[in-house]
């Protein structure tokens, strides 16, 4: 500001000589060993609330001139300059609810060990009053501040999380659990996703569940306050929940408010029994008690109706929709058939019956060793039937599809009347790289499949594409009429490996020619049985390791 003619890199280099003792060396910040605190009572220690004058002055200059002027400078911990707005020192509050002693500590330590700036993190351990004698303040990881928050209400995770949030002072609040572990450099990665820390936002990271659910809240203080003001929350969750469906309601509200930032390129591992990563213990049994499911589902349905959010596709009588499910294939496994039965019976509950009381869901099977013949024979049946469906769903015989994923695709089409088709996706291997089954055409009409990172880079989970495979795809009947009977005939070209395209790519090429709009929903991932259930834990790299375990 005083000498704008000076080069930023030179200034930064001059003042950062202190970082290196000798050429090639860097100082490191390490956790203070726990035994250093032995014998001391730290329960009364609190971080000074007074803002240092250097930080206040830096903030004043940034507010006056904008953060872009200071890009590339490290203002010595007073404020951080980066691709986000300027933040105060205390960026994060980790609100950790537990009833597991002493297992909680491994998760707590992991969050600090993987952070780039633990000195900017507040840690709050929420426990029930019945567990006060099971933990001491000396055990807590402490950098920007730590404390034990005693919940004197119900003995449940929701109340523990909410109680901890009441005294959280960070700009970003996270509800941590004993079985949830972050990726390396998680603090910087989350901050890079937030262009404005003062705006309401909820970050949706990859937890390994592959569902629409956001099981853990990573929210800015602005959205934390909106949840309390607009939806009656008592912290992270609505206070009448005990466990089940509290996070599901939060997911629906956050998406309804359009504050969700997609961050599926960052893997925060959820080591939960339902994902096959832990054993059931007494805490899981208590949280997953049948009465919690019954009470939670009833409460959520009532709450969402009151708010004006529908958790499933619901049609008014004047807008009845008919769905035709097409299952082309060569072989159908017992596992696939089991999924099919559940799928059809569930979908029948969500698509309106016609005036004669007939279900709004029909199905067509076709068997052939030639996939072009299989799809074309089904298409001919669809186009010649006098009972025109509104939607046509294609499910391959080697992909497992659950009802929630189909309903999500249906909701996508309801939300965007200009879309003609929306697909789910599966992982593919291409050489040493990992890609997904959707992408865009190049100049020779060959599809360039997207990477997992590209799919997750957009804030909108529904991403426009030129072409897609057919692991599962829902399309409007009008699209089939426009493309016509030859939709799945192979396209001939010397640019294709065998001289002709696959039937799914041929369809997408013809759909493009008639001006169709296609999309893929990143939330609808399906396992591919023939290729094996292949889902790498992708973090910073999208390469496949040679020993990557694959299970079928």
């Amino acid at each position: 500001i005083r000498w704008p003619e000076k080069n930023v890199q030179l200034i930064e280099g001059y003042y950062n000589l202190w970082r290196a003792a000798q050429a090639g060396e860097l100082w490191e910040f390490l956790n203070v060993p726990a035994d250093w605190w032995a014998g001391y009572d730290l329960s009364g220690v609190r971080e000074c609330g007074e803002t240092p004058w250097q930080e206040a002055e830096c903030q004043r200059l940034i507010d006056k001139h904008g953060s872009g002027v200071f890009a590339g400078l490290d203002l010595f911990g007073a404020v951080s300059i980066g691709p986000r707005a300027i933040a105060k020192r205390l960026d994060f509050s980790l609100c950790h609810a537990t009833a597991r002693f002493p297992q909680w500590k491994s998760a707590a330590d992991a969050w600090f060990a993987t952070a780039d700036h633990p000195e900017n993190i507040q840690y709050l351990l929420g426990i029930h009053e019945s567990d006060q004698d099971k933990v001491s303040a000396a055990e807590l990881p402490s950098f920007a501040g730590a404390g034990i928050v005693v919940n004197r209400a119900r003995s449940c995770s929701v109340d523990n999380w909410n109680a901890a949030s009441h005294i959280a002072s960070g700009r970003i609040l996270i509800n941590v659990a004993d079985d949830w572990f972050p990726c390396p450099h998680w603090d910087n990665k989350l901050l890079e996703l937030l262009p404005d820390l003062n705006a309401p936002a909820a970050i949706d990271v990859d937890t390994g569940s592959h569902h629409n659910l956001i099981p853990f809240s990573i929210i800015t203080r602005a959205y934390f306050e909106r949840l309390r003001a607009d939806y009656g929350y008592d912290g992270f969750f609505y206070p009448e929940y005990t466990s089940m469906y509290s996070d599901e309601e939060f997911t629906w509200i956050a998406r309804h408010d359009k504050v969700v930032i997609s961050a599926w390129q960052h893997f925060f591992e959820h080591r939960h029994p339902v994902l096959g990563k832990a054993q059931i213990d007494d805490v899981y049994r208590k949280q997953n008690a049948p009465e919690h499911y019954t009470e939670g589902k009833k409460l959520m349905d009532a709450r969402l109706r009151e708010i004006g959010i529908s958790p499933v596709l619901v049609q008014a009588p004047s807008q009845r929709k008919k769905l035709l499910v097409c299952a082309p294939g060569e072989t159908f496994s017992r596992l696939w058939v089991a999924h099919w039965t559940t799928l059809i019976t569930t979908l029948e509950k969500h698509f309106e019956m016609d005036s004669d009381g007939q279900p709004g869901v029909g199905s067509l099977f076709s068997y052939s060793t030639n996939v072009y013949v299989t799809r074309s024979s089904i298409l001919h049946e669809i186009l010649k039937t006098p009972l025109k469906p509104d939607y046509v769903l294609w499910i391959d015989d080697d992909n497992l599809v659950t009802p929630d994923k189909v309903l999500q695709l249906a909701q996508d089409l309801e939300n965007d009347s200009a879309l003609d088709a929306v697909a789910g996706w599966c992982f593919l291997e291409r050489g040493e790289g990992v890609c997904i089954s959707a992408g865009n055409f190049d100049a020779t009409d060959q599809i360039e499949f997207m990477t997992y990172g590209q799919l997750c880079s957009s804030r909108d989970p529904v991403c426009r594409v030129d072409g897609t495979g057919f692991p599962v795809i829902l399309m409007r009947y009008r699209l089939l009429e426009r493309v016509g009977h030859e939709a799945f005939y192979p396209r001939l070209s010397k640019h294709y490996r065998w001289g002709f395209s696959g039937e799914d790519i041929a369809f997408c090429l013809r759909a493009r020619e008639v001006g169709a709009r296609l999309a893929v929903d990143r939330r609808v991932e399906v396992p591919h049985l023939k290729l094996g259930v292949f889902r790498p834990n992708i973090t910073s790299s999208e390469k496949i390791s040679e020993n990557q375990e694959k299970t079928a």
Side-chain angles (χ1 to χ4, degrees), residues 305-317:
R305 282 196 300 270
E306 180 182 349
I307 295 168
I309 302 174
S310 175
V312 295
L313 183 67
V314 177
Q315 311 297 337

Side-chain angles (χ1 to χ4, degrees), residues 174-195:
I174 305 176
N175 67 314
V176 175
D178 301 331
D179 57 3
W180 195 37
F181 294 80
C183 63
H185 317 293
W186 64 267
D187 51 341
N188 276 341
K189 288 180 177 179
L190 294 181
L191 288 170
E192 288 171 359
L193 294 166
L194 296 166

Side-chain angles (χ1 to χ4, degrees), residues 192-221:
E192 288 171 359
L193 294 166
L194 296 166
D196 183 1
L197 282 177
N198 295 315
I203 298 177
D204 179 18
V205 296
D206 181 5
T207 60
S209 63
H210 326 314
H211 291 294
N212 194 25
L213 182 69
I214 304 175
F216 298 98
S217 303
I218 304 174
I219 54 178
T220 59
R221 179 162 292 279

Side-chain angles (χ1 to χ4, degrees), residues 251-271:
T251 301
W252 282 104
I253 289 178
R255 297 199 186 283
H256 173 264
D257 286 344
K258 301 186 184 305
V259 299
V260 178
I261 296 175
S262 172
W264 274 32
Q265 66 271 34
H266 300 317
F267 182 60
F268 286 55
E269 185 178 18
H270 191 192
R271 301 176 186 173

Side-chain angles (χ1 to χ4, degrees), residues 316-429:
S318 60
Q319 298 176 314
R320 290 191 176 99
K321 298 294 170 77
K322 302 286 279 186
L323 172 69
L324 184 60
V325 185
C326 303
E330 182 180 348
T331 57
F332 298 91
S333 70
R334 183 166 60 91
L335 183 60
W336 190 94
V337 172
H339 274 68
W340 171 268
T341 305
T342 302
L343 177 67
I344 296 301
T345 55
T346 305
L347 291 179
E348 285 180 347
K349 300 175 183 177
H350 296 295
F351 285 85
E352 291 286 344
M353 293 185 177
D354 61 22
S355 56
D356 296 327
Q358 297 299 313
V361 178
S363 59
L364 283 174
F365 283 82
S366 179
Y367 171 85
S368 173
T369 55
N370 186 312
V371 68
Y372 302 95
V373 173
T374 302
R375 291 205 192 278
S376 295
S377 63
I378 288 182
L379 177 59
H380 295 167
E381 290 296 321
I382 297 172
L383 294 177
K384 74 180 184 182
T385 177
L387 301 175
K388 308 301 183 187
D390 298 281
Y391 295 139
V392 176
L393 178 71
W394 297 84
I395 301 176
D396 281 355
D397 66 337
D398 54 359
N399 292 102
L400 300 182
V401 180
T402 53
D404 61 306
K405 295 177 180 178
V406 176
L407 291 173
Q408 182 60 60
L409 298 179
Q411 194 66 61
D412 293 340
L413 292 182
E414 289 296 300
N415 292 341
D416 188 348
S417 60
L419 272 183
D420 293 286
V422 60
W425 59 276
C426 61
F427 277 108
L428 301 175
E429 299 180 53

Side-chain angles (χ1 to χ4, degrees), residues 429-497:
E429 299 180 53
R430 288 294 183 269
E432 293 184 353
V434 178
C435 57
I436 68 161
S437 56
N440 296 299
F441 292 117
D442 63 14
T444 63
D445 284 345
Q446 296 185 90
I447 193 167
E448 294 181 345
F449 292 104
M450 300 167 63
T451 65
Y452 182 62
Q454 290 170 334
L455 175 67
C456 299
S457 62
S458 172
R459 290 189 63 162
D460 190 346
V462 181
C463 179
R464 282 291 308 279
V465 292
D466 289 340
T468 176
F470 276 38
V472 57
I473 182 169
L474 184 68
M475 58 185 64
R476 302 183 194 276
Y477 175 77
R478 71 188 186 200
L479 175 59
L480 294 175
E481 286 187 313
R482 289 158 60 192
V483 178
H485 286 270
E486 298 182 356
F488 293 110
Y489 288 13
R491 295 289 290 259
L492 305 181
S493 172
K494 64 181 181 180
H495 297 292
Y496 291 111
R497 181 179 181 184

Side-chain angles (χ1 to χ4, degrees), residues 219-251:
I219 54 178
T220 59
R221 179 162 292 279
Y223 194 55
F224 176 79
E225 297 298 342
R226 181 192 290 186
L227 290 171
R228 301 182 73 168
D230 294 352
Y231 300 106
Y233 275 41
D234 188 33
F236 288 104
F237 300 113
Y238 188 68
E240 291 187 26
Y241 290 100
T242 54
S243 57
M244 296 298 109
Y245 289 97
S246 57
D247 51 358
E248 189 158 342
E249 180 190 307
F250 165 79
T251 301

